[in-house]
Amino acid sequence: MRAKRRVRVCAGLGLLALLVPASLPGAEPAAAGGGPPPSPGGPAVPAVARVWPVGARPAVLRPWEPPPAPYGRGHRGADLAAPPGAPVRAVAPGRVSFAGRVAGRGVVSVELTGTGEPPLRTTYEPVRASVEKGREVTAGEVLGTVEAAGAHCPGGCLHWGLRRGDAYLDPLSLLPPWLLRRGPSRLLPVLGVPLPP
């Protein structure tokens, strides 16, 4: 897939801003209008995230792969590179709906504020929780730390999931375009463009 380039000339400053959004592995292209693409079989997911759950633009080790049927094979979330002990943050404001262990792994779930009925719910695992069920959290607030995951991801990772009711959705669709870009915009000099009087 070829990245689209946008060029903006700031004649008053004699500078050129070149915006090149880079694609993330597994990230879907944005729909027309700049918003996230609609989820298969459901409405679009609002891009309400304000931070990545771990680090700043971590590597996506395995993207979301929707199952063909409710109990079919697939990957119901995205694996993000993160070493054990890394802080795990709430991507958007909400309320902790679960913090505990499931099948021996630490899991934290957060119902996201203002995302409809039923609300969107993010899940993070394996996490040693530092929050309790019922706690209101803000975007960027630490929920816990990444636990060692055994053989799931060599070097460690966070499995980040997203659901609305019983439907699994792509968690990367919560991220607005400015969080998906790999780097900041750069200003370059523009030669031969006359400055306004």
Side-chain angles (χ1 to χ4, degrees):
M1 183 169 72
R2 181 172 266 183
K4 293 183 181 178
R5 294 175 185 237
R6 293 184 296 166
V7 176
R8 184 180 311 152
V9 176
C10 301
L13 300 173
L15 299 172
L16 170 74
L18 179 61
L19 306 174
V20 184
S23 298
L24 277 175
E28 296 291 326
S39 300
V45 172
V48 296
R50 295 296 163 251
V51 296
W52 284 87
V54 286
R57 297 179 189 92
V60 178
L61 301 177
R62 185 174 176 193
W64 179 70
E65 298 166 11
Y71 300 103
R73 292 183 61 176
H75 191 240
R76 293 164 174 85
D79 290 341
L80 307 177
V88 177
R89 301 179 185 280
V91 297
R95 184 183 60 79
V96 176
S97 57
F98 181 84
R101 302 201 75 74
V102 176
R105 296 171 60 131
V107 177
V108 175
S109 294
V110 177
E111 287 183 356
L112 303 181
T113 303
T115 57
E117 278 301 320
L120 289 171
R121 185 173 72 240
T122 55
T123 57
Y124 311 85
E125 64 176 288
V127 174
R128 181 176 310 282
S130 60
V131 292
E132 295 180 355
K133 181 179 177 177
R135 178 170 169 179
E136 297 289 329
V137 294
T138 59
E141 188 170 339
V142 174
L143 304 172
T145 57
V146 175
E147 293 180 323
H152 184 71
C153 296
C157 72
L158 175 78
H159 179 84
W160 180 31
L162 176 65
R163 292 178 71 172
R164 184 183 297 279
D166 293 331
Y168 289 92
L169 304 167
D170 183 3
L172 294 176
S173 64
L174 287 172
L175 297 167
W178 61 270
L179 274 175
L180 287 171
R181 283 195 294 268
R182 289 218 182 258
S185 300
R186 291 193 170 93
L187 296 176
L188 304 172
V190 176
L191 303 175
V193 175
L195 295 174

